[in-house]
Structure formats: C-alpha cells, structure tokens
Amino acid sequence: MPDSDTKTLLIKGKAGLGNRILSTLTGMAYGQMSSRRIIVDWSDGAYAAKGTNAFPLLFSSPVFSPDTAPPQTNDVTPDVWRDHITWSVEQMIGKYDPKRFSDPTIYRKYCCDLSRTDLPQTLAVYWSYLPKFRHIRKHFKGQYAHLVGMSERRIIAELMPQLIIPLPVITDPVDQFVSEQFKAPVIGVHVRHSDRKSPIEKICRSIDRLLAKTPEAQIFLATDNRAVETDLKSRYANIIVTDKWLPSPGEAIHYNKTDVDPTKSAIEALIDIYLLSRCDYLIYPGGSTFSYLARCIGNFPSSHIIDVEAFDPKVQIKRAIHNFL
C-alpha cells in the first residue's frame, strides 16, 4: 500500500508531561483499535528544541517508529488540521481559538471523532488535555476486551508498560536512586507549587499522620518549587530529593524561558514520576496529572494512598466535567 494511502493516527502533545502522556496513551489505544498506523508528535518545543520530536527522546513504543512520517495528504480529520498537520496544538488554538485555551471542550475541535473507529479519512489527528478512555470504552474488543469494566486507573496501569516505555536515560537513574537512597519505608510526596498550588498544610498533616505510624520512614519529595523543598526540609529530617533544575517561582517547568535544556528537564521530571511510583506510600494532589500518573503506575494498596484534594469541591467538579466531556 502506498504511504500516502496508509491510514494513520497523528497524536499531538500539549501541556505538561502528565497531561501529554495520558493523552498519548489514550490515542495509542484508540489508534490500535482503529487499525491505524500511529505517529506521536511532541515537537511543540516544550520538551525539546522546537521542531524536534521529544517523545522518542524519552520513550520507546512498540506501536510507534520515530522514523515514520505522516502521509502527505489533505484527507484529514478534523478538517481544521488540513494544511496544518505540522503545526502544534498551541499554534492552532492560538490562531483559531485564542480565548479558549482553558476551555475543557476545546479538544473536540482538534481531535478526531472518538465514537468511531472506521473514520474514512487517511489521516486522523488526536489530541486532548486528559485521558479519554470513557469515550473509547465501547471499542474495547479483541486485544482490549480484558479492559472492559476496569477503572481508568487500572486501564492506565495495564497499558502504560505496554505502550509507553521509558528509555534507560530515565530507568537507569531511577533504579540507581532506589538502590542507593531508598533505605526504609518511603513516603512519596508530590507538591506542585508553580503555576498551580498544592495545599501544603494538608500535605504536611498527611505526612505527620503517616510518620506517627511509621516513624522510621523516609520522605521522597518531588516538587517544582525550590522554596517548598527548603520549607519541607526544615520541617522533616529524613527527606530525600533528586538533583534537578527548578524554574523561577510561579513558572511551570515546561513553560520556562531560560536556556536550560528542555529535554534534560523532562528527563528529570520523569525520574521523579517513576520514583514516586516506587515509593511505599503516596501523598499527592489529585488534580495533578503528574502525580496521578505515578499513582496509576505504582503498585499502591488503597490504604497507602492519600489524595489531599479528594474532598476539594473545585478539583472534584473540574475532574467530573473533564471526565464527562
């Protein structure tokens, strides 16, 4: 079959690592269910030089070859991507919907119709801010039939190690850190405190409760804010952290405007995600896809999980809206 006729799913990346990994995972599953060749495009400049695809610098996948190029065709869905398949989602929304970056429904305009696996167009484009497994559940047949009835978290835990595999540049430092630094029961703590603010006092109360039960435990802290790291080190003696670059206060790592290598920053962040997943306990803000991903891929008993935003009405309403849309 000529390359121009090969039905392809082009998965675009946007926002932070948690968002784009969970979005890409959904897209890969949908692409396989649609019998389409899969291409992942993270060349938006967030985690590599603009124009360089960051995905194969961080991950391998049995369903994607980094040498594969999108078919040269105008037979595209959604139609808005016609003549723009090399553009990033950021560029597209900036051009056509500049006031809708935070609109939870905006993905619908830039994502193919997930209710169908028989789209006739040669090239389908997938993008979303968050996982959309709810929308593709009805396609769980064949190799995906065993996912029927699973929660979203279980689906992610099942598919991540199969479809999105971190490279040794990530797994080797994770294994070394665990071997050298994890000496006792470890409480993993994620504090996002840049463009979004985690409830630090709730996090500290949760740490105190766990330490009362396991006073010998270490605390592995993953944060994007140096001041938070300093603060928690002043409160707790047994804190361990990775050595990484952090942005100016209030600025998200993936939007930093410094000369720091964005791929190096991505690797450092992914090391933290996988280290969180290797802890014995996890304290995290449920509204963060970063630590939600760590929860999904970690083998945590439910009694070892504390979501400090579990009863935050704003977070729960936002989550419900995104899950429904």
Side-chain angles (χ1 to χ4, degrees):
M1 180 182 294
D3 183 71
S4 61
D5 295 330
T6 302
K7 283 197 170 184
T8 301
L9 182 72
L10 178 61
I11 302 172
K12 293 284 186 175
K14 186 184 183 303
L17 279 168
N19 295 84
R20 67 179 63 207
I21 290 172
L22 293 169
S23 171
T24 297
L25 186 66
T26 312
M28 286 178 165
Y30 171 76
Q32 284 201 299
M33 290 183 239
S34 303
S35 299
R36 287 179 176 266
R37 180 180 61 176
I38 294 168
I39 297 176
V40 180
D41 177 13
W42 287 11
S43 59
D44 56 319
Y47 294 111
K50 195 164 186 177
T52 297
N53 190 358
F55 185 84
L57 303 180
L58 306 170
F59 301 102
S60 65
S61 175
V63 301
F64 166 59
S65 169
D67 298 325
T68 305
Q72 299 302 304
T73 180
N74 280 323
D75 186 27
V76 181
T77 183
D79 189 66
V80 68
W81 286 98
R82 186 187 297 265
D83 297 321
H84 296 314
I85 63 170
T86 61
W87 285 29
S88 67
V89 176
E90 190 89 11
Q91 287 176 297
M92 293 291 281
I93 299 178
K95 173 70 173 179
Y96 297 110
D97 299 280
K99 296 182 180 180
R100 296 184 64 193
F101 275 100
S102 300
D103 185 340
T105 68
I106 189 60
Y107 84 95
R108 292 177 173 175
K109 181 174 179 178
Y110 298 97
C111 183
C112 58
D113 182 358
L114 300 180
S115 70
R116 299 176 57 184
T117 56
D118 62 347
L119 296 170
Q121 290 85 356
T122 301
L123 180 62
V125 180
Y126 177 96
W127 168 72
S128 66
Y129 273 120
L130 294 168
K132 295 295 176 184
F133 288 106
R134 174 181 174 274
H135 296 269
I136 63 174
R137 278 185 181 274
K138 69 177 184 178
H139 308 313
F140 287 174
K141 302 172 184 177
Q143 72 183 95
Y144 286 97
H146 67 291
L147 301 180
V148 173
M150 284 189 184
S151 68
E152 179 187 84
R153 286 196 298 270
R154 286 189 61 200
I155 292 170
I156 293 167
E158 178 82 11
L159 295 183
M160 267 294 292
Q162 297 178 29
L163 298 178
I164 300 181
I165 303 162
L167 294 179
V169 70
I170 296 160
T171 57
D172 287 352
V174 168
D175 290 340
Q176 182 177 356
F177 194 92
V178 169
S179 174
E180 295 178 356
Q181 301 291 334
F182 283 16
K183 303 298 184 184
V186 182
I187 301 170
V189 178
H190 176 224
V191 183
R192 180 170 175 175
H193 219 68
S194 54
D195 54 329
R196 291 184 67 245
K197 303 290 191 293
S198 299
I200 293 178
E201 294 308 318
K202 283 186 179 180
I203 288 171
C204 289
R205 288 196 294 271
S206 297
I207 293 173
D208 293 340
R209 287 197 297 272
L210 286 181
L211 286 177
K213 297 177 182 178
T214 56
E216 76 281 11
Q218 293 175 297
I219 299 168
F220 170 69
L221 174 64
T223 184
D224 55 5
N225 189 296
R226 188 70 69 193
V228 167
E229 181 180 310
T230 301
D231 177 29
L232 265 65
K233 282 183 174 179
S234 71
R235 301 192 195 199
Y236 303 102
N238 205 10
I239 285 187
I240 50 177
V241 298
T242 56
D243 182 19
K244 61 180 180 292
W245 174 87
L246 291 174
S248 300
E251 187 173 273
I253 288 177
H254 57 284
Y255 290 135
N256 83 82
K257 300 177 178 62
T258 70
D259 293 329
V260 173
D261 179 357
T263 305
K264 181 175 182 292
S265 292
I267 291 169
E268 291 171 346
L270 286 165
I271 288 170
D272 271 3
I273 289 176
Y274 281 93
L275 283 172
L276 285 171
S277 78
R278 300 275 292 271
C279 294
D280 300 289
Y281 300 85
L282 181 64
I283 299 171
Y284 75 109
S288 166
T289 56
F290 185 98
S291 43
Y292 176 70
L293 181 59
R295 176 184 180 178
C296 291
I297 61 179
N299 187 25
F300 297 102
S302 58
S303 60
H304 287 207
I305 294 287
I306 300 177
D307 176 0
V308 295
E309 293 181 335
F311 302 105
D312 185 319
K314 291 182 180 179
V315 172
Q316 296 309 312
I317 290 171
K318 183 178 179 180
R319 180 184 296 168
I321 290 172
H322 276 287
N323 286 341
F324 177 77
L325 292 174

